[in-house]
Amino acid sequence: MEILISIIAFIVIFSLLVLIHELGHFMMAKKAGIKVEEFGIGLPPRAITLFKKGETKYTLNWIPFGGFVRMLGEDDYTGKKNKDPRSFQNKTILQRFLVIVAGVFMNFVLAVVLLTIGFSFGMQPIMINSDDVISNIRNGSIEVQENVIVKNIEPGSIVKKISKGDSILSVNGEKLAIVYELKKAIENNSVAEIQYSHNNKILKEEINFADHDVSESGITYYDYMSLPVIRITENKYKFLAGDIILKINNKYVFGYNELQEEFIKTEDNEIQIIRDNKKKTINLKNNFYPLIVYDIEDGSIAQKSGLQPNDIIKSVNGINVYTFKQYFDSIKSNKENELIIIRSGAEMVFNIRPDEQGKIGVIIVPQWKDMFEGISYYNDYFNYSVINSKPVPFYSAPIIAISETYRLTKTTVSMFGDLVSNLFRKFDLPKGVTGPVGIWKLTDHYAREGLIPLIRLAALLSLSLAVINIMPFPALDGGRLVFIIYELITGKKANQKIESILHMIGFLLLITLLIIVTWSDIMKLFG
């Protein structure tokens, strides 16, 4: 039943992407007054003609990946000039340009729409880097969990002990690139010693992949990222050497400056650490009030109120102040303010009324003293899994979707460049390149997870289709644009016969590449 669902999902997704793309060409061609002879789903040879409406045949073709819109005069092997005013070749440069880019444009639009829907329901971003994760943790849009968290164990997995929700701590001693180490063990038919946490118990499972004819372990993970943390190097206060600081007062910190800034905000601090692969909470008291009166202006409000140099400012209007921002946020202009001052170890209360700008005539400087000044540490990295994304407000979802589309487009262009480079220089396919079989496998995986992951996949595929189609390669939309640009620059149309032959060669090369990639996918599937 699950396989049937994944097959249906695969067909629906691919059909949607192709139909949207070709619909763009079709609608723009009709708008430009071009005769559309055929609207084909799939690639030739033709299987059946579904129906004919007006002058256009709607067909289903045998190769079930892709599609096309055949316009009068678009491909002509005779080299003779077509005098029909409705021929593609007889339309203006602008009209032909718009017809060609319309398909790509529609795929970009579809990607933005799908991403907008996904983000509105709490979809994880497709592109995740450390800066994204940290900023999203801070604004509360994603929820993370320490370590690499097991999302699911696939049916038939060779893993026997590890279960859903466990934390993977290391593979063969590697604590960061865990998935990479596991894949390396699989590819080398070697042993993978997996250290994991189950119900706060540290356990191990050893898998000898030489004993199993498998290409994967069957473990799926939440997206994870290695982010900066603080590692203590000495036993001091309540810390032990090797402790990793994760949070202070339930807020993640990713560097010493953040830790210090948060620590001096409050008097009592709860710090969450990782010690011996287990979470532990320690409490540290901040006994220092870092804002001190350095100088007082003669005749000022502060002087008349009785403040003196070296007075330590503990609180303003009942709020403990540890930073300049806290001080200026707490003091009220043209109103009486209660300041608690520490002088010679004793607390004193002053009622002071600042001027209309909130000034009382003092120069305040920080003491810059806190418990962490005496602690030795270094910057390290630790894994965090993104286990939940919160829905984005409907008004900001399209903005985030457009930003994500832009970043994905840049990455896809780079990956396509690597593909072409590897094929021509090494006659090899880069890792990660997949075809219809691989996409079906991805669809099967995401179909098990639900609708939102499928939307995420469809958006990524729509963008990939758009970027690949706009590449300047014969038979692709980008290849056709090259000849239009040539005509725009030279003022002369390219030889139509030569152009048609180049597009045919490009088409055959693309079919060959599709066969190679598909064969590679099949080998991975059964290898």
Side-chain angles (χ1 to χ4, degrees), residues 383-429:
N383 288 327
Y384 292 81
S385 292
V386 181
I387 60 172
N388 185 35
S389 296
K390 296 180 181 179
V392 173
F394 71 91
Y395 49 83
S396 57
I399 299 172
I400 298 174
I402 291 171
S403 173
E404 191 79 355
T405 298
Y406 172 73
R407 294 195 301 160
L408 279 169
T409 299
K410 290 199 302 183
T411 302
T412 306
V413 169
S414 175
M415 290 178 64
F416 187 81
D418 291 341
L419 169 62
V420 174
S421 175
N422 277 33
L423 282 175
F424 282 96
R425 290 191 301 109
K426 303 178 183 178
F427 299 100
D428 187 30
L429 290 173

Side-chain angles (χ1 to χ4, degrees), residues 3-65:
I3 293 178
L4 179 61
I5 292 173
S6 68
I7 291 173
I8 293 172
F10 175 71
I11 293 172
V12 169
I13 289 173
F14 239 104
S15 299
L16 174 65
L17 301 185
V18 171
L19 285 173
I20 287 292
H21 182 92
E22 298 305 328
L23 191 61
H25 291 314
F26 178 80
M27 291 190 301
M28 190 56 68
K30 288 288 189 181
K31 186 175 180 63
I34 299 170
K35 181 179 179 181
V36 180
E37 297 175 329
E38 184 177 354
F39 184 99
I41 300 174
L43 298 176
R46 184 184 300 170
I48 57 170
T49 298
L50 297 173
F51 60 90
K52 183 176 181 181
K53 185 176 181 181
E55 62 195 16
T56 306
K57 290 181 180 178
Y58 297 83
T59 64
L60 188 64
N61 298 272
W62 282 112
I63 302 177
F65 307 106

